[in-house]
Amino acid sequence: MNSINNYGFTDFFEAQTFQEGLVPARVTAVFKDFF
C-alpha cells in the first residue's frame, strides 16, 4: 500500500497541518471529473 509520503508529503507539510480531524491527501491522477 502506498503512503502519502511516497508522493511528497514530508515533515514540512505535516508541520503545517493545524486543524484536527483533517486527513491529508494528495491528488495523483485526474480523469475528467474524478480525482
Side-chain angles (χ1 to χ4, degrees):
M1 187 165 170
N2 288 325
S3 169
I4 193 168
N5 298 68
N6 293 344
Y7 297 103
F9 188 77
T10 62
D11 292 337
F12 172 80
F13 295 109
E14 186 173 3
Q16 296 180 41
T17 307
F18 296 112
Q19 295 179 344
E20 291 185 29
L22 297 180
V23 177
R26 175 149 248 185
V27 175
T28 59
V30 178
F31 300 99
K32 293 191 180 186
D33 296 332
F34 298 98
F35 297 93

